[in-house]
Amino acid sequence: MWDYTEKVKEHFYNPRNTGPLEGANATGDVGSISCGDALRLMLKVDPVTEIIQDAHFQTFGCGSAIASSSALTEMVKGMTLDEAKQISNQDIADFLDGLPPEKMHCSVMGREALHAAIANYRGEEWSDDHEEGALVCKCFAVDSQMIEDTIRANKLSTVEEVTNYTKAGGGCSTCHEPIEEILTKVMAERGETFVPAGAKKAKPAVAEAAPAKLGTLARIRKIEEVIAAVRPTLLADRGDIELVDIEGKNILVNLSGACSGCQMEAATLAGIQTKMIEALGEFVRVVPAAKAQAHACASHAHGG
Amino acid sequence: MSTPTPIYLDNNATTACDPKVVEAMLPYFTEQFGNASSMHSFGNKVGVALKAARTKVQKLLGAEFDSEIVFTSCGTESDSTAILSALKAQPDRKEIITTVVEHPAVLSLCEQLEKEGYTIHRLKVDNKGGLNLDDYAKVLSDKVAVVSVMWANNETGTYFPVVEMAEMANAAGVLFHTDAVQAVGKIDINLAATKIDMLSVSGHKLHAPKGIGVLYVRRAVRFRPLLRGGHQERGRRAGTENAPSIIGLGVAAELAMEAMEHERTYVKALRDKLEAGILAVVPHAFVTGNPDNRLPNTANIAFEYIEGEAILMLLNKQGIAASSGSACTSGSLEPSHVMRAMGIPYTAAHGTVRFSLSRYTTEEEIERVITAVPPIVAQLRKLSPYWGENGPVADPEKAFAPAYA
């Protein structure tokens, strides 16, 4: 069973604005190839102000597809078409307090239906800008098509590069096998052979010796460097990270914005932790400062 | 709102451990904790219990010798062991015959073997899930290392003619393996009278615990173990025996034999009642697979123009547990490969729901499900773009033809 939020369940059990819409003057019919779900979004747009007066949907799909559709109709009512066009699939997911990574494509379908309906209203031809493939990276919801296109466009040849470009494989790392398979396939197209990095990367001496050599200041600088290096990726997702404190092996950070409390938080931290460990050459934990403080408070309470 | 009493109709996924099974297992966690291989009395008692369990499983399968029973950790391990053993034992044979509707335990392994250079012949099925044995005969040759064909399909319950297919393989000098995890315990099996060389069993499908399986290996069939190490299972599956679970499976095998008649008559009658009750009220719904040739406990119904996960969520709200072949329930790209292989249209394959009964299922439960399903289907169809006021919109595929992305 999927781990749906209460809001997803609520919108599924009691969907808003269902069925055909009387007087609709904009319709978007889209489907998601990745699961076979399909959605018809109907809008009633004021021709003068371009304000969406009413929105209805019909959906052939799973629980989260129905919930995403219902959420979308609630979100767009009262918006102008230009405002509505700014809605991203993440906004739809956020409205529902998040969707499981496997189900993010339901929110993508919602955004596409909206764009299709707006194009329909304006008499334009809508065509989707991407194809979707099988979900590969569950931590960051990256599908095979996205990985394949990115490898092709950027001539990538290692899993590490794929992670840097798409984030895929940057979390729990269990999807490295399928990523290697995609690399093998795409590299063969350009006449190259994929060479795996080796079962375990040979990183001897340096990693072994590093902890002893790194002084306190150098260690802090290194930690700051890693934080600085990951920030752009987080900012791109409308999140941020800040270093709070270093307590021995524990590196306390604050995640904010879209990152905090998001379903990817644990994966994000795990990814950063991996980078930290690589950079420092020692085992460390990256923990949210809030949690660490909560623990401290709890133990104080017990102690007092 | 009070939570309704749960109704469990997902027994092809897994079953409840029979309380008698649990009772028999418990002493082997505490006072009878010995290692069967040890020389002292702690070990000896366990060894005796394991032997008794082996005999019970032997009886359930109708195997000639108890030494043909190899305990494994699950059905998947049994499948992998069987297929990989056949390849290892006959390195010159580089082909495998299987079907398009096998369980992933066989299909994924075959996909991997294909990448490693083996040739996989995947037999196709017709719209009722049946095989064409002429196609099968054509690919049987001395290049084939093993045929692996399931006894009963997990989604539709449809049987394959494995006894006949094993005869054909045997005549061609080819090893025959069957994944019988859905069939064992539900129907009479008498392996001694067949030419089946290897057969996989999964304990938790017949009211034994999870984490225990069996591979039947006919005497004198050439065998290469998957796990080497100690002498357990006569060296065919090393690793300390999962004694409590093996003993539990022995009891489960005994209970399954006692319940076989009940399964064949009462459970089947309940299943038929469920199907008839739903189909009488719900239009645009049909049974998938072959209704005349299938497991007594399985009903797989396609509800057109709606999606399975949504149906399951609404059923679950009323405490009814079933499963679906829709893509969304698995997180995979496509609806069930079994439904697609039978040529079921997309708009129906997505709406398939499997109800799988057990010997614990009651008539009252079935009546509750018959009452619950029609309003759920109607509720979801009201949301469906393929559905009009009182039925599917005229020419549904044209009336709603979304741009797929």
Side-chain angles (χ1 to χ4, degrees), chain B residues 97-103 106-107 122-133 136 147-166 176-180 182-183 187 189 196 289-290 292-295 337-338 341-342:
Chain B
I97 300 174
T98 185
T99 79
V100 289
V101 296
E102 292 302 306
H103 188 272
V106 169
L107 280 185
R122 297 176 180 86
L123 302 174
K124 292 191 172 59
V125 295
D126 58 28
N127 58 9
K128 283 186 163 180
L131 292 173
N132 179 341
L133 292 190
Y136 172 51
V147 179
S148 181
V149 170
M150 68 205 320
W151 197 307
N153 187 269
N154 49 312
E155 292 188 30
T156 64
T158 304
Y159 297 133
F160 279 147
V162 285
V163 173
E164 189 183 345
M165 293 176 84
F176 189 91
H177 164 253
T178 180
D179 176 341
Q182 296 294 348
I187 57 166
I189 290 180
I196 292 169
N290 187 345
D292 303 320
N293 182 36
R294 57 180 170 153
L295 291 172
H337 66 288
V338 178
M342 293 191 295

Side-chain angles (χ1 to χ4, degrees), chain A residues 1-2 4 9 12-13 15 18-19 29-40 57-64 66 102-103 105 112 126 128 130-135 177 181, chain B residues 112 115 304-307 309-314 316-317 326-335 346-348 350-351 379-380 382-387 399-405:
Chain A
M1 199 96 202
W2 301 109
Y4 285 137
K9 285 188 217 162
F12 168 67
Y13 291 132
T18 62
D29 291 352
V30 299
S32 164
I33 216 97
S34 74
C35 67
D37 287 0
L39 158 65
R40 167 175 288 166
F57 77 90
Q58 286 178 300
T59 293
F60 168 76
C62 60
S64 60
I66 289 170
E102 290 89 346
K103 296 290 190 171
H105 62 78
E112 284 172 348
W126 177 81
D128 75 280
H130 79 294
E131 270 179 67
E132 227 179 297
L135 185 68
E177 184 183 351
E181 276 172 22
Chain B
Q112 181 58 33
K115 285 179 199 158
E304 291 184 85
Y305 309 116
I306 52 176
E307 197 273 340
E309 184 202 294
I311 304 173
L312 295 188
M313 283 178 73
L314 291 172
N316 187 53
K317 213 179 168 199
S326 98
C328 288
T329 50
S330 61
S332 74
L333 263 183
E334 302 270 1
Y346 227 60
T347 44
H350 269 291
Q379 178 184 343
L380 289 171
K382 264 178 101 174
L383 295 180
S384 170
Y386 294 108
W387 200 258
F400 181 69
Y404 278 96

